[in-house]
Amino acid sequence: MLSLRLHILLTILVISFSQAQNNHISTQQTWFQCFATARLHQNFGIQADAGTRRHDDEYFIRNPLQTFYRVGTNYFFTDNIFLTLGYTYFESMNLNMNLSVPENRPWQSLTIRHKWGRLDVRHRQRLEQRFRRQSNDSVLLDGVFFNWRTGYNLQIQIPILSTTIKSKEPFLIVWDEIFVNFGPNTSNSTFDQNRLYGGLGCLFNNVVSANIGYMYLVLNRSDVLIHNHCIRATMTFTFDARKSNKY
C-alpha cells in the first residue's frame, strides 16, 4: 500500500531529524481520552471527545499538562469516507510549567477507512487554525498567536483471535501521526511533532471499546526536541441512530 510506505518513510525521516538535533529533553506523560460519535442520518453525524494529559519525570501522572474539549459535525459521502468540521478548546501549561495558556482551534478533517486483508485501515488528514493566547514566562498577554497546522494519521487495527474484530475479543492497534506547521509565524519550526502509538484494544460490544498502550511523541520546540514517553488510554462510545429509522 503506497500510503503506508510513504508514511513509514516520513517516520524514518522524522527520527533521523530528531537524532540530528543538538538539544534534547526527555519526559514521561500519561494521556487519558474519552471519545463519542453518533451517526444521526445516512449523511450526517456528530462527535465529541475530551481529554487530559499529565506528566512527571518519575511517575508519569503527577503534574497537569493539557486539557481539551473537542466537538465536530460529520458529513458522510459513504459509510467509509466522511468530512468533519470541528472546534477544540485547549489549555496547555507553558514550558516553565507555571502558566496555563488557552487556545481556540477550529479544524477540518477528511477520514477514509478500508480493509486490507485482515487489517482495518484508517487515513485521516486534518487541517487546523490555531489561535493561541500570547504569554510570557509568567502571565497571559493581550492578543493571540496564529498559525496553520496540518496532520496526517495512519491507523491500523489487527484482530488477534479472528479474521475480523469481534465483540469481546482483543485487537492490536498501531498508528502514526505527523504534524506540520505552515503559514505566518512558523519561522524555522515547520515540523511540529510526530506521534507513534502501539497498544491493545477490546471491542466490548457494539457501543463501547477501549485501548491502552505506549506512545512515543517527539515535539519540536524552537531549537529543542522534546522526547515524550507516554502511557495512553482511550475509551470510545459509538452510537448509530439509523437503526431506528428507514436507513
Side-chain angles (χ1 to χ4, degrees), residues 130-149:
R130 305 182 65 189
F131 298 85
R132 288 170 287 172
R133 182 75 175 270
Q134 293 192 21
S135 63
N136 58 22
D137 292 338
S138 58
V139 297
L140 296 175
L141 304 176
D142 293 334
V144 296
F145 180 92
F146 172 79
N147 75 289
W148 296 81
R149 188 174 75 171

Side-chain angles (χ1 to χ4, degrees), residues 10-229:
L10 284 173
T11 303
I12 292 173
L13 291 174
V14 167
I15 294 173
S16 300
F17 168 80
S18 67
Q19 295 301 319
Q21 292 288 92
N22 292 324
N23 299 319
H24 298 262
I25 298 174
S26 180
T27 69
Q28 297 175 351
Q29 298 181 8
T30 303
W31 291 25
F32 300 102
Q33 185 172 355
C34 184
F35 181 83
T37 180
R39 186 79 175 267
L40 305 177
H41 182 271
Q42 187 70 6
N43 297 112
F44 296 100
I46 56 175
Q47 66 180 57
D49 63 310
T52 182
R53 301 166 182 175
R54 304 182 70 85
H55 81 104
D56 184 79
D57 291 338
E58 185 175 0
Y59 299 107
F60 285 85
I61 199 172
R62 181 180 296 171
N63 304 308
L65 181 65
Q66 290 179 321
T67 302
F68 70 89
Y69 307 93
R70 180 162 44 209
V71 295
T73 300
N74 302 322
Y75 178 83
F76 289 85
F77 300 99
T78 70
D79 283 345
N80 294 316
I81 302 176
F82 61 93
L83 178 70
T84 306
L85 303 179
Y87 165 79
T88 306
Y89 177 76
F90 248 94
E91 285 198 1
S92 304
M93 300 300 293
N94 63 358
L95 290 177
N96 294 328
M97 297 302 166
N98 62 354
L99 181 67
S100 180
V101 181
E103 176 183 344
N104 293 287
R105 186 187 301 177
W107 54 272
Q108 307 80 40
S109 68
L110 177 67
T111 303
I112 300 174
R113 302 179 295 211
H114 63 89
K115 296 285 290 186
W116 190 33
R118 298 173 62 231
L119 311 180
D120 291 332
V121 183
R122 186 196 70 182
H123 311 264
R124 186 185 67 205
Q125 185 72 49
R126 178 173 288 171
L127 177 65
E128 301 171 335
Q129 300 82 52
R130 305 182 65 189
F131 298 85
R132 288 170 287 172
R133 182 75 175 270
Q134 293 192 21
S135 63
N136 58 22
D137 292 338
S138 58
V139 297
L140 296 175
L141 304 176
D142 293 334
V144 296
F145 180 92
F146 172 79
N147 75 289
W148 296 81
R149 188 174 75 171
T150 185
Y152 171 65
N153 180 289
L154 174 62
Q155 174 182 285
I156 299 174
Q157 293 184 343
I158 310 165
I160 298 176
L161 302 178
S162 307
T163 57
T164 60
I165 296 176
K166 296 181 178 180
S167 179
K168 297 181 175 63
E169 291 187 358
F171 60 88
L172 298 175
I173 177 171
V174 179
W175 54 260
D176 188 83
E177 187 166 20
I178 184 169
F179 291 90
V180 176
N181 298 310
F182 67 96
N185 302 316
T186 56
S187 62
N188 295 324
S189 56
T190 301
F191 165 65
D192 181 70
Q193 61 181 269
N194 190 82
R195 304 172 182 177
L196 178 61
Y197 174 79
L200 180 67
C202 183
L203 179 65
F204 298 108
N205 51 50
N206 291 333
V207 175
V208 183
S209 66
N211 67 83
I212 186 170
Y214 166 78
M215 182 175 69
Y216 175 54
L217 167 62
V218 179
L219 291 171
N220 182 28
R221 294 297 178 263
S222 300
D223 59 346
V224 176
L225 272 182
I226 306 174
H227 303 264
N228 301 284
H229 303 279

